[in-house]
Amino acid sequence: MSINRYDDAIREAYSICPSGETLVDTLEIRHPDKESIFIVRDHIEFTACLETGQWVDFQPLAFDFKLPKSSDTGAQSLDVAIDNTNNHVAEYLESVRGSLKSVTLVYRPYLAKDVTKPQMSPPLTLTLTSALITTAQVSGRATYADIVNKRFPNDYYTPRRFKNLR
């Protein structure tokens, strides 16, 4: 039987949250070779402080997501769909296509009345493993670790390095 801890945690947060308190969902799309994109699931710009102490402006852009579920298999992933009306996210992902470095998604929930820190510590940081870009949206899946693309064993056994393989 699978236990969905994220759903329980979200239900608990909503149940104890004072009335009038609004949860603000934000997403950072990060690649080591480019400046990050910061978006907020809202219609207006949102300024907040990251866990590092840096203040950033999150740009309004519609997106939807499903938080990872706990399961017996250990495989956990975040499914995300981002509106592609301005092509900003699509162009960002296209520009890093073919890079050996991974794209990372960072989910941070904030309370509208407390923008001094994310309400999840540490924020949920996942590696983008697949993406589909259409004219309407950019959708993708991110996981905790990109285990599928890791080399195993850690060394490549090539004839150049290991003469007996010839």
Side-chain angles (χ1 to χ4, degrees):
M1 180 175 146
S2 141
I3 299 173
N4 191 335
R5 294 189 182 128
Y6 288 106
D7 284 350
D8 292 342
I10 293 296
R11 276 191 225 112
E12 180 182 351
Y14 279 124
S15 69
I16 63 173
C17 190
S19 66
E21 206 48 81
T22 305
L23 188 65
V24 180
D25 295 312
T26 66
L27 194 63
E28 176 186 0
I29 304 168
R30 180 191 307 159
H31 188 271
D33 295 337
K34 294 188 66 80
E35 191 172 318
S36 292
I37 294 177
F38 294 94
I39 59 175
V40 60
R41 190 163 81 164
D42 204 345
H43 299 289
I44 58 172
E45 189 175 292
F46 179 72
T47 302
C49 188
L50 303 180
E51 63 283 355
T52 62
Q54 174 189 3
W55 286 85
V56 296
D57 294 325
F58 292 87
Q59 300 304 311
L61 191 59
F63 68 89
D64 199 12
F65 63 94
K66 291 181 188 173
L67 289 172
K69 295 180 180 183
S70 296
S71 69
D72 297 338
T73 64
Q76 297 178 334
S77 63
L78 172 116
D79 294 320
V80 64
I82 304 169
D83 191 20
N84 195 25
T85 53
N86 65 4
N87 286 334
H88 189 59
V89 174
E91 289 170 0
Y92 186 90
L93 293 177
E94 286 290 340
S95 71
V96 297
R97 179 180 282 194
S99 172
L100 297 177
K101 299 173 186 168
S102 299
V103 173
T104 305
L105 300 181
V106 183
Y107 168 71
R108 295 178 183 92
Y110 288 89
L111 291 176
K113 292 183 180 177
D114 182 9
V115 297
T116 61
K117 64 179 178 163
Q119 296 300 309
M120 182 183 282
S121 181
L124 184 62
T125 304
L126 304 163
T127 302
L128 187 66
T129 55
S130 65
L132 175 64
I133 300 171
T134 67
T135 55
Q137 73 178 8
V138 175
S139 58
R141 175 167 282 173
T143 61
Y144 280 110
D146 191 10
I147 297 171
V148 174
N149 291 318
K150 294 282 184 198
R151 293 184 302 178
F152 182 83
N154 290 333
D155 287 331
Y156 285 122
Y157 291 89
T158 63
R160 183 177 208 190
R161 287 188 56 222
F162 298 92
K163 305 295 182 198
N164 291 338
L165 291 178
R166 292 182 186 181

